[in-house]
């Protein structure tokens, strides 16, 4: 919440509108799905009581999940994007380990022993 400025509108992620719109969308989807599928066919009346219950549950659950995810969001540290990691360049060949050229102390790849022991 440190990126807020007085008098300026908040970003969609930090405002209340984002999670509310997300929850309202899923509540409408749940309402429509229950109205269509809970009646048991076109000869019976639609079950609006079940549809409103499902919409309310979907709204509350998705609002809580969206709020928890937005509260747990943390920006990456600035130094992580600067390229200070290990082996970032594929053009540079490693001097040891996997992919390195065999040195004079390394045995040949075909498995023969060249140390002179009989």
């Amino acid at each position: 919440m440190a990126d807020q400025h007085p008098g300026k509108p908040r970003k969609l992620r930090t405002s209340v509108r984002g999670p509310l719109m997300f929850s309202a969308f899923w509540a409408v989807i749940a309402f429509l799905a229950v109205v269509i599928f809970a009646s048991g066919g076109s000869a019976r009346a639609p079950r609006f009581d079940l549809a409103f219950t499902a919409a309310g549950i979907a709204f509350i659950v998705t609002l809580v999940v969206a709020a928890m995810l937005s509260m747990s969001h943390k920006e990456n540290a600035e130094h992580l994007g600067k390229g200070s990691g290990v082996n970032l360049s594929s053009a540079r060949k490693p001097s040891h380990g996997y992919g390195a050229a065999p040195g004079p102390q390394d045995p040949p790849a075909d498995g023969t022993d060249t140390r002179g022991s009989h």
Side-chain angles (χ1 to χ4, degrees):
M1 299 292 175
D3 59 347
Q4 297 176 11
H5 302 288
K8 293 184 180 178
R10 293 182 179 185
K11 294 185 235 175
L12 190 61
R13 190 192 66 76
T14 58
S15 72
V16 177
R17 240 182 332 163
L20 281 175
M21 289 189 315
F22 180 74
S23 297
F25 170 77
W26 287 108
V28 168
I29 296 295
F31 179 84
L32 292 175
V34 172
V35 161
I36 291 170
F37 296 115
S39 63
S42 60
R44 297 185 181 149
R47 296 287 312 261
F48 288 110
D49 56 339
L50 290 177
F52 282 117
T53 303
I57 290 171
F59 181 78
I60 291 169
V61 168
T62 54
L63 186 63
V64 168
V65 169
M68 294 296 287
L69 288 175
S70 67
M71 285 191 315
S72 66
H73 176 75
K74 180 180 172 186
E75 294 290 332
N76 286 338
E78 190 63 32
H79 72 279
L80 292 177
K82 298 296 185 196
S84 60
V86 178
N87 294 333
L88 291 178
S89 174
S90 62
R92 201 175 53 216
K93 300 290 183 205
S95 60
H96 63 283
Y98 181 76
Q105 74 278 6
D106 294 334
D110 60 358
T112 58
D113 190 10
T114 58
R115 289 181 281 174
S117 60
H118 299 275

